[in-house]
Amino acid sequence: MDKVFVENILQGKVAFVTGGGTGITGGIARALAESGAKVAITSRKQENLEPMKNLIEQTGGECFAVAADVRDFAAVENALNQTVERFGKIDIIVNGAAGNFLCKADELSANGFGTVLDIDAKGTFNICRAAFEELKKSRGQILNISATLHLTATPMQIHVSAAKAAVDAITRNLAVEWGRFGIRVNGIAPGPIEDTEGMKRLLPKPLKEKLAKKIPLQRFGRIKDIENTAIFLCSDAASYISGVTLVVDGGHWLLGTSLG
Ligand code: COA
């Protein structure tokens, strides 16, 4: 496994990562630990966190795994409090918990739409809001993971597109409101990332081949591409960057995200 691009760049920092057990945000959690940060990871189920906790610890990192549903503000507060008890502070928040499934707009129920909004958008707000006092103390930062789906329009993804547009709005608004506390707020919008559950589950093989040909850089992204971007944005190398959602997609969205 490739190491992150600058070792120990986050030495002494404490990071809290939602959705940190698996996929892109699992990769970010591992990369933060490799970069020297102590890492707390959270998701709905404790058993989904244990393999990542073990992996981080086996490679010499420190990891605290705490289950919480990001839709539940009290549970979020509890998970953050436990992290502060364990590690003493919080410097970095990564909001990666997300829900996704393919569904046509005319078949999607109101509850289906609301569920994804609740996980992605309300969950992101809940974590940011509950972590505010700690971030104010540490002059810390927030990294919100969104997507490129809503930059144009993506069929069967109205719920996720609306949720990710809200996440990008949260990034900009908090950057403006919380900048005076020294808190930086940024985002990453990953394009098609090959080694993820979403890509395996949501994209049938013929569409995958069609999509590959449409990406200007002529390859799918890798979780490592997102990890490196996350480490850069969380480090002092990005100390004057706030309110930005960095698109990491090989140029894909410029040609439209639809496969039609
Ligand atoms: N198609 C259409 N509607 C769906 C759906 C699908 N594939 N999956 C869930 N929904 C709807 C449900 O029907 C329900 O609406 P209803 O009450 O009107 O029937 C609503 O969404 C809530 O579903 P439920 O399963 O009760 O919610 P949950 O909170 O347990 O889980 C998700 C919601 C989105 C997390 C769930 O779909 C899921 O587990 N997805 C896989 C994991 C995932 O998304 N990972 C992210 C990878 S990018």
Side-chain angles (χ1 to χ4, degrees):
M1 198 183 300
D2 296 336
K3 285 269 181 190
V4 287
F5 67 105
V6 183
E7 282 183 60
N8 297 326
I9 196 168
L10 299 175
Q11 196 73 46
K13 304 286 185 192
V14 175
F16 182 95
V17 184
T18 75
T22 55
I24 288 176
T25 16
I28 292 174
R30 206 206 66 256
L32 288 164
E34 270 179 19
S35 306
K38 293 175 185 169
V39 180
I41 54 175
T42 192
S43 83
R44 274 192 294 176
K45 294 184 186 142
Q46 189 74 29
E47 66 261 30
N48 291 347
L49 297 171
E50 291 304 325
M52 183 54 70
K53 176 179 157 60
N54 292 340
L55 180 65
I56 288 173
E57 288 176 347
Q58 277 159 19
T59 47
E62 278 191 65
C63 183
F64 173 52
V66 54
D69 188 328
V70 293
R71 294 171 284 191
D72 178 346
F73 190 77
V76 159
E77 278 189 306
N78 179 43
L80 288 163
N81 288 341
Q82 285 191 56
T83 302
V84 174
E85 270 169 39
R86 177 70 68 104
F87 292 143
K89 60 173 184 167
I90 294 174
D91 302 287
I92 297 165
I93 293 283
V94 180
N95 283 302
N100 200 353
F101 52 81
L102 295 175
C103 191
K104 291 180 183 166
D106 56 344
E107 291 172 8
L108 182 64
S109 71
N111 191 36
F113 183 86
T115 297
V116 173
L117 263 289
D118 278 351
I119 299 170
D120 294 26
K122 193 174 157 193
T124 295
F125 175 77
N126 283 348
I127 296 276
C128 295
R129 180 67 188 84
F132 172 64
E133 291 300 333
E134 283 301 322
L135 292 174
K136 204 164 103 174
K137 276 188 230 161
S138 62
R139 296 177 73 80
Q141 57 178 290
I142 295 166
L143 184 64
N144 294 327
I145 309 304
S146 67
T148 55
L149 304 168
H150 57 294
L151 301 182
T152 53
T154 309
M156 301 180 86
Q157 293 275 264
I158 190 170
H159 43 316
V160 186
S161 300
K164 296 304 194 184
V167 169
D168 288 355
I170 289 171
T171 298
R172 288 190 292 268
N173 277 274
L174 291 185
V176 168
E177 290 201 33
W178 292 356
R180 68 199 168 100
F181 303 112
I183 300 172
R184 293 194 295 115
V185 188
N186 290 301
I188 299 177
I193 304 298
E194 193 164 35
D195 37 2
T196 56
E197 183 217 322
M199 189 82 153
K200 283 185 204 128
R201 191 165 50 84
L202 302 176
L203 203 64
K205 198 163 175 249
L207 281 184
K208 198 175 167 194
E209 284 163 9
K210 200 170 165 188
L211 172 59
K213 293 194 185 115
K214 242 188 101 177
I215 300 170
L217 281 183
Q218 298 285 295
R219 71 165 174 88
F220 290 113
R222 302 177 193 110
I223 292 179
K224 179 63 57 191
D225 294 312
I226 308 300
E227 290 172 15
N228 284 337
T229 309
I231 299 305
F232 165 64
L233 286 174
C234 289
S235 75
D236 286 346
S239 64
Y240 200 52
I241 300 178
S242 195
V244 163
T245 295
L246 199 47
V247 176
V248 183
D249 75 338
H252 172 235
W253 86 272
L254 295 169
L255 295 171
T257 52
S258 170
L259 286 168

